[in-house]
């Protein structure tokens, strides 16, 4: 549990993806999980016209909120501060971790209990706390399982979706003292709950993510099913929430449509078991709640996406994971192959802003551009269009590449670009095209037998002996 984890280099993406594709057990596990999630989502949206109207509304709320992002963030900070919540701004993961550790040390904290938070995964908070001598324990069951296994989440909603119950049973028996092997799901859940319940009572700080922030009231909204989020935010004497700056909406009335889209798209539920609305620390008249509440607002490349009119739509995401569940690539290789905190289609478009296009451009090409992700996105993010834009940015000449995305031009190859320009010219000029096809049909014996990834599963492609033009001419 104490072994630090780090981001996996994306230049190894192809090798990791290949390893998963060749693992029949993982293939079966992913296929079953994706079919289950797709069917649950479909059952929640029986009326397509109603779904499209709700998607229109969700898209409009997110675009409106982003159009006023600077103003809404200022209003949010004022309201939160007036409510007694302390607001901290972090530009980088390192700054966010430093702020967190400063707060923990000010409260002489030795342990924290965490509700589910992908932003805390993004900054690798657990490792920073461990380095500072502070114990961090995940309380979401899926997160707890991957923490025990020294792994990162493979799905933003279901972190341990890649594991079978037998693997979890073996993990519990090996890592939890005094636990015998059992593959009963009910018994495994009870084992996890017993371990975690004791920690809630003794942890100095509770940590959570935030699904939405309401500027007009200074409210942090958090949805969850296990009750661990409510425990993490109410039992310890200090609560620290961490989230990205893009999660703000203006009004409380903007929350219900987005919650309806989020829970139904994510887990196929009309609403989650718990909906937490946090607006202040515990007041004198209240029986429970933390004495202090802090909110860490993280940038980490989000203002880069915000600055570009097209790429800004990346920030519309409400983290439901529906794009992953319907992606033909994710459903075959899972989340770990991507090597980033956010896998799948949404990970491909947000990771370049968080980590730089120079280390993530391979992910933008891991897509068939089939459009399934855009069809199910509850807030209509045009993911295929954004993938094409990121590919274009990656392969631009560095000498002329703009500053819209950090690392633009990092995949540029003068040889590759010369070939693409030659290919484009061949199709642009009929005489050149006729000459090319004549040479290809007459010199077909020069066609290489090995043609990259194509010939791993197919016979080599070869031009016909005679062109269609020649056949028609003889007839």
């Amino acid at each position: 549990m104490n072994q630090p984890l780090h981001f996996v280099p994306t230049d190894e993406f192809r090798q990791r993806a290949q390893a998963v594709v060749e693992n029949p057990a993982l293939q079966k596990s992913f296929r079953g999980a994706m079919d289950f999630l797709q069917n649950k989502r479909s059952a929640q949206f029986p009326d397509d016209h109603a779904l499209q109207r709700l998607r229109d509304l969700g898209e409009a709320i997110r675009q409106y909120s982003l159009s006023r992002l600077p103003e809404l963030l200022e209003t949010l900070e004022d309201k939160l501060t007036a409510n007694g919540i302390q607001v901290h701004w972090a530009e980088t993961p390192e700054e966010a971790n430093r702020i967190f550790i400063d707060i923990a040390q000010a409260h002489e904290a030795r342990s924290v209990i965490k509700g589910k938070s992908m932003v805390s995964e993004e900054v690798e908070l657990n490792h920073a706390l461990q380095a500072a001598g502070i114990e961090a324990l995940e309380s979401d069951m899926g997160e707890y399982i991957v923490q025990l296994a020294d792994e990162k989440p493979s799905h933003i909603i279901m972190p341990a979706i890649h594991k079978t119950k037998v693997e979890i049973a073996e993990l519990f028996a090996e890592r939890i003292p005094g636990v015998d092997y059992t593959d009963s799901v009910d018994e495994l859940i009870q084992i996890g709950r017993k371990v975690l319940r004791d920690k809630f009572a003794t942890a100095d700080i509770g940590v959570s993510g935030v699904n939405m922030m309401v500027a007009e009231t200074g409210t942090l909204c958090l949805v969850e099913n296990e009750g661990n989020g409510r425990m993490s935010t109410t039992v310890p004497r200090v609560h620290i929430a961490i989230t990205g700056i893009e999660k703000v909406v203006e009004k409380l009335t903007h929350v219900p449509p987005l919650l309806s889209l989020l829970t139904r798209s994510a887990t196929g539920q009309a609403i989650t078991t718990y909906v937490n609305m946090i607006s202040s620390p515990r007041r004198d008249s209240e029986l429970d709640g933390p004495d202090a509440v802090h909110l860490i607002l993280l940038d980490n490349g989000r203002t880069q996406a915000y600055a570009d009119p097209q790429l800004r739509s990346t920030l519309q995401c409400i983290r439901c994971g529906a794009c992953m569940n319907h992606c033909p690539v994710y459903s075959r290789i899972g989340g770990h192959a991507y090597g980033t905190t956010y896998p799948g289609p949404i990970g491909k478009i947000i990771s370049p802003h968080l980590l730089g296009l120079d280390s993530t451009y391979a992910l933008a090409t891991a897509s068939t551009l089939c459009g399934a992700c855009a069809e199910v996105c509850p807030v209509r993010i045009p993911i295929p269009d954004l993938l094409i834009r990121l590919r274009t940015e990656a392969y631009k000449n560095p000498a002329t590449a703009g500053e819209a995305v950090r690392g633009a031009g990092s995949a540029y190859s003068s040889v590759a670009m010369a070939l693409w320009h030659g290919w484009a010219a061949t199709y642009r000029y009929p005489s050149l095209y006729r000459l090319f096809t004549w040479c290809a049909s007459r010199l077909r014996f020069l066609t290489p037998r090995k043609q990259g990834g194509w010939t791993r599963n197919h016979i080599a492609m070869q031009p016909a002996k005679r062109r269609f033009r020649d056949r028609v001419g003889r007839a």
Side-chain angles (χ1 to χ4, degrees):
M1 186 187 298
N2 295 323
Q3 180 183 352
L5 300 175
H6 300 286
F7 294 118
V8 182
T10 54
D11 55 2
E12 299 172 3
F13 172 72
R14 288 178 182 274
Q15 292 89 330
R16 294 196 302 274
Q18 184 68 33
V20 177
V21 169
E22 294 174 351
N23 186 326
L26 276 178
Q27 288 292 296
K28 182 180 179 181
S29 178
F30 286 136
R31 185 70 269 162
M34 295 303 104
D35 288 345
F36 174 73
L37 290 169
Q38 288 180 21
N39 292 336
K40 289 199 70 176
R41 175 189 174 275
S42 295
Q44 285 294 330
F45 296 113
D47 184 339
D48 187 62
H49 291 293
L51 168 61
Q52 301 312 322
R53 287 197 300 271
L54 189 58
R55 291 180 74 201
D56 290 342
L57 180 58
E59 178 189 24
I61 291 172
R62 290 302 297 138
Q63 289 184 347
Y64 172 76
S65 302
L66 290 172
S67 71
R68 301 184 59 204
L69 184 61
E71 176 188 344
L72 292 184
L73 286 172
E74 289 182 4
T75 303
L76 175 73
E77 181 179 24
D78 291 342
K79 290 292 182 182
L80 288 170
T81 303
N83 291 347
I85 296 177
Q86 300 176 57
V87 180
H88 310 266
W89 301 86
E91 185 175 355
T92 64
E94 293 76 16
E95 190 173 355
N97 288 332
R98 187 170 64 252
I99 291 169
F100 196 105
I101 291 170
D102 286 346
I103 297 171
Q105 292 176 340
H107 290 276
E108 299 180 344
R110 305 305 305 167
S111 65
V112 304
I113 186 90
K114 291 180 60 193
K116 194 171 187 312
S117 165
M118 289 306 295
V119 175
S120 74
E121 295 285 346
E122 179 183 325
V123 303
E124 299 203 311
L125 177 63
N126 286 7
H127 311 138
L129 292 176
Q130 182 181 316
I134 301 171
E135 179 191 19
L137 182 67
E138 300 285 351
S139 63
D140 174 89
M141 189 56 66
E143 293 278 358
Y144 176 63
I145 291 168
V146 295
Q147 186 182 28
L148 277 180
D150 296 333
E151 297 175 349
K152 294 182 76 67
S154 62
H155 191 285
I156 63 172
I157 302 298
M158 300 185 174
I161 200 170
H162 58 290
K163 287 198 170 298
T164 66
K165 66 176 182 179
V166 172
E167 291 173 329
I168 296 170
E170 293 173 346
L171 182 68
F172 277 23
E174 178 186 345
R175 296 293 181 92
I176 303 177
V179 170
D180 296 327
Y181 177 89
T182 174
D183 59 6
S184 165
V185 174
D186 289 340
E187 291 183 24
L188 290 171
I189 294 294
Q190 290 304 320
I191 291 169
R193 283 179 176 173
K194 185 175 186 304
V195 173
L196 295 173
R197 187 164 291 275
D198 293 339
K199 296 292 184 180
F200 284 117
T202 58
D204 299 305
I205 293 176
V207 182
S208 77
V210 179
N211 293 103
M212 293 166 218
M213 304 177 290
V214 184
E216 70 170 358
T217 58
T219 302
L220 310 179
C221 178
L222 174 65
V223 296
E224 40 118 4
N225 280 314
E226 300 176 12
N228 65 304
R230 182 158 298 180
M231 296 281 280
S232 298
T233 58
T234 56
V235 178
R237 54 191 170 90
V238 179
H239 169 212
I240 303 178
I242 180 169
T243 192
I245 57 174
E246 78 279 17
K247 297 287 186 67
V248 65
V249 297
E250 182 185 20
K251 300 178 180 178
L252 202 57
T253 53
H254 291 165
V255 172
L258 294 178
L259 277 188
S260 180
L261 285 166
L262 172 62
T263 59
R264 292 201 276 176
S265 300
T267 56
Q269 295 173 280
I271 191 66
T272 48
T273 308
Y274 296 88
V275 177
N276 304 286
M277 308 292 277
I278 303 164
S279 295
S280 72
R282 180 172 60 86
R283 293 170 179 162
D284 293 339
S285 59
E286 296 175 334
L287 297 178
D288 55 21
D291 297 329
V293 178
H294 298 260
L295 173 67
I296 300 175
L297 290 166
L298 178 67
D299 180 346
N300 194 24
R302 287 165 173 82
T303 50
Q304 173 183 275
Y306 178 80
D308 186 280
Q310 183 185 23
L311 299 175
R312 180 181 297 181
S313 57
T314 305
L315 303 179
Q316 290 174 209
C317 181
I318 56 175
R319 302 291 191 273
C320 68
C323 59
M324 300 180 195
N325 305 340
H326 293 75
C327 174
V329 176
Y330 178 90
S331 62
R332 283 160 179 78
I333 66 174
H336 286 162
Y338 293 85
T340 51
T341 299
Y342 305 98
I346 186 60
K348 295 173 192 174
I349 62 172
I350 196 170
S351 296
H353 301 292
L354 308 185
L355 303 171
L357 195 55
D358 49 340
S359 59
T360 58
Y361 67 84
L363 303 181
T365 63
S367 171
T368 63
L369 301 179
C370 67
C373 48
E375 287 185 10
V376 298
C377 177
V379 289
R380 298 189 188 279
I381 300 175
I383 295 177
D385 293 341
L386 297 179
L387 287 173
I388 292 172
R389 169 70 187 282
L390 290 170
R391 292 179 185 183
T392 304
E393 293 289 341
Y395 286 91
K396 278 183 176 177
N397 188 329
T400 58
E403 299 179 351
V405 185
R406 178 163 49 95
S410 53
Y412 175 78
S413 164
S414 57
V415 174
M417 292 309 298
L419 290 173
W420 279 114
H421 286 311
W423 183 266
T426 300
Y427 279 82
R428 187 179 305 123
Y429 301 107
S431 58
L432 189 58
Y433 179 78
R434 287 195 293 271
L435 175 62
F436 170 75
T437 55
W438 186 91
C439 293
S441 60
R442 271 64 178 182
L443 302 177
R444 61 195 296 270
F445 62 89
L446 296 177
T447 305
R449 293 185 177 182
K450 293 187 177 180
Q451 298 172 0
W454 175 261
T455 46
R456 290 178 188 169
N457 303 301
H458 304 78
I459 61 173
M461 294 180 289
Q462 192 176 36
K465 292 181 181 178
R466 290 188 299 162
R467 300 173 298 175
F468 181 72
R469 174 189 305 276
D470 300 330
R471 291 172 181 268
V472 173
R474 287 195 175 187

